[in-house]
């Protein structure tokens, strides 16, 4: 089945949440939230073909985190180190921090290649209600100036975290190194098990020139016409922050400069990823279509950089 990007909307008529993209041998592969992790492929970022899921059957360990897990896997991230692709993904119970981030590897993204095989390595980090004031979902990997790998992740509670990974990217490095990279004010009176009212999630860090840009989503997703999702940004000279918005406010003290938000055609737009493809910097995200009962669709926009800050333009 093939889907085409609308020239008017610059948004593909494919239903996705939380898109991330990788390019291999002239083909783009889009991974997204869905049963077993949804996958689409394209040669032009306009026409998309649905591919088999990463996990036709749920990973064996998932029931130990979420009992009777139904293989609906959230918010993947895809990176390549050496000759190996690493796919990080989230297993969670909705509105709870009963969650874990896992990782799988593959030598190729092409299902027709003889070397194609996803190998799961299990849990990287796990959050437990009433123990952790953070949520182990929405992973994103960035390499610092010394080629150390850091995983940014999280939603709600006391903000977005970052932790250093080991050399093979499958476990937390020892001794442990943690950061809080973004947070918003949370009502003190709320129970620790409550996600809270400090609505932020989905970190994605993109290096441009001398700066590391931390994109994240504020407010509410997954509510169709009631969605209020928006993307904000801050930047730092270091991969691990601290990150500051245009007004100099630290993101871990509530800062964030708006890059993308909803309008009359799209109720909410967020959970983005950013890549440099074919000489352009592109932002991928999902948006809730006001003309299709709030269905989540793939959005793609070109980024222009003005005074060192990202501004979005229509793709092509």
């Amino acid at each position: 089945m093939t889907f085409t990007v609308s020239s008017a909307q610059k948004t593909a008529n494919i239903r996705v949440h939380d898109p991330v993209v990788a390019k291999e041998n002239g083909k783009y592969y889009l991974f997204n939230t869905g049963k077993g992790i949804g996958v689409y492929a394209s040669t032009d970022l306009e026409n998309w073909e649905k591919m088999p899921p990463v996990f036709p059957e749920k990973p064996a360990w998932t029931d130990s985190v979420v009992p009777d897990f139904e293989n609906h896997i959230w918010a993947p991230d895809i990176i390549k180190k050496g000759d190996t692709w690493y796919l990080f993904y989230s297993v969670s119970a909705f509105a709870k921090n009963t969650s874990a981030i896992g990782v799988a590897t593959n030598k190729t993204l092409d299902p027709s290649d003889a070397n194609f095989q996803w190998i799961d390595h299990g849990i990287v980090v796990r959050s437990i209600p009433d123990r952790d004031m953070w949520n182990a979902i929405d992973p994103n990997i960035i390499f610092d100036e010394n080629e150390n790998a850091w995983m940014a992740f999280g939603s709600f509670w006391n903000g977005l975290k970052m932790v250093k990974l080991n050399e093979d990217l499958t476990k937390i490095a020892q001794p442990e190194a943690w950061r809080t990279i973004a947070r918003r004010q949370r009502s003190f009176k709320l129970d620790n098990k409550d996600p809270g009212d400090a609505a932020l999630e989905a970190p994605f860090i993109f290096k441009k020139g001398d700066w590391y840009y931390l994109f994240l989503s504020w407010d509410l997703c997954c509510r169709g016409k009631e969605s209020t999702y928006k993307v904000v940004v801050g930047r730092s000279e270091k991969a691990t922050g601290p990150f500051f918005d245009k007004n100099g406010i630290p993101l871990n003290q509530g800062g964030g400069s708006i890059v993308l938000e909803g309008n009359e055609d799209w109720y909410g737009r967020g959970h983005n990823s950013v890549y440099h493809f074919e000489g352009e910097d592109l932002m991928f995200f999902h948006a809730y279509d006001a003309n299709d009962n709030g269905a989540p669709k793939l959005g793609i926009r070109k980024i222009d950089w003005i005074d060192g800050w990202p501004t979005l333009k229509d793709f092509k």
Side-chain angles (χ1 to χ4, degrees):
M1 187 178 295
T2 300
F3 304 85
T4 303
V5 172
S6 161
S7 59
Q9 302 285 355
K10 306 301 182 189
T11 301
N13 192 31
I14 55 175
R15 295 189 176 215
V16 301
H17 274 105
D18 318 327
V20 293
V21 183
K23 187 178 183 184
E24 181 183 62
N25 297 328
K27 183 173 284 190
Y28 300 94
Y29 295 89
L30 184 151
F31 299 85
N32 63 278
T33 291
K35 284 279 188 179
I37 306 178
V39 186
Y40 289 90
S42 174
T43 57
D44 57 10
L45 295 178
E46 294 188 7
N47 299 286
W48 294 92
E49 179 183 2
K50 190 172 180 61
M51 309 295 283
V54 173
F55 296 116
E57 303 295 333
K58 62 185 176 184
W61 60 267
T62 55
D63 281 346
S64 69
V65 174
V66 180
D68 301 317
F69 185 64
E70 296 182 353
N71 203 27
H72 190 257
I73 297 176
W74 298 356
D77 188 36
I78 182 75
I79 64 162
K80 192 174 189 181
K81 181 182 179 183
D83 63 352
T84 302
W85 290 99
Y86 292 77
L87 183 68
F88 293 80
Y89 59 91
S90 312
V91 169
S92 185
F94 192 78
K96 298 180 180 180
N97 63 340
T98 304
S99 309
I101 292 169
V103 63
T105 56
N106 207 330
K107 293 299 183 181
T108 178
L109 302 180
D110 182 359
S112 67
D113 191 302
N115 293 315
F116 180 86
Q117 181 185 10
W118 285 109
I119 299 172
D120 189 50
H121 300 275
I123 297 173
V124 180
V125 64
R126 179 179 181 180
S127 57
I128 295 175
D130 222 17
R131 184 194 74 175
D132 303 311
M133 286 296 289
W134 42 268
N135 193 14
I137 67 169
D138 297 357
N140 173 245
I141 311 302
I142 185 71
F143 292 92
D144 66 18
E145 59 277 8
N146 297 315
E147 294 302 312
N148 297 309
W150 294 80
M151 182 171 67
F153 65 93
S155 78
F156 287 75
W157 278 273
N158 272 346
L160 307 186
K161 305 300 180 181
M162 174 180 275
V163 65
K164 188 177 180 181
L165 298 182
N166 67 1
E167 191 71 22
D168 68 5
L169 311 187
T170 62
K171 300 294 180 185
I172 294 174
Q174 300 295 325
E176 295 187 9
W178 290 76
R179 308 279 190 277
T180 296
I181 55 173
R183 69 184 302 270
R184 300 173 81 184
Q185 188 63 42
R186 174 187 169 92
S187 295
F188 176 77
K189 63 182 180 181
L190 295 173
D191 186 274
N192 287 349
K193 294 179 183 178
D194 192 317
D197 48 5
L200 77 172
E201 56 192 9
F204 194 95
I205 300 173
F206 178 72
K207 190 172 191 298
K208 178 75 172 180
D210 294 330
W211 295 97
Y212 293 87
Y213 292 83
L214 170 58
F215 296 87
L216 62 141
S217 295
W218 278 0
D219 300 334
L220 302 178
C221 83
C222 315
R223 289 162 174 81
K225 66 180 182 179
E226 304 300 323
S227 301
T228 56
Y229 237 15
K230 54 184 66 69
V231 175
V232 303
V233 71
R235 69 182 187 182
S236 173
E237 293 180 314
K238 295 184 178 181
T240 54
F243 299 89
F244 297 86
D245 69 12
K246 288 182 180 180
N247 296 317
I249 302 173
L251 266 61
N252 60 12
Q253 295 181 28
S257 299
I258 294 177
V259 180
L260 179 69
E261 57 188 331
N263 56 30
E264 63 182 10
D265 293 317
W266 302 98
Y267 294 121
R269 297 185 286 185
H271 203 117
N272 75 290
S273 56
V274 179
Y275 306 95
H276 185 77
F277 290 141
E278 308 301 334
E280 296 181 326
D281 295 329
L282 302 177
M283 178 183 286
F284 296 77
F285 55 92
H286 70 252
Y288 298 95
D289 191 347
N291 298 304
D292 191 10
N293 298 314
K297 305 287 183 68
L298 170 65
I300 307 172
R301 295 292 186 274
K302 178 183 175 183
I303 299 177
D304 282 347
W305 299 89
I306 299 176
D307 298 327
W309 291 95
T311 301
L312 296 188
K313 300 295 184 182
D314 280 349
F315 175 57
K316 293 188 176 178

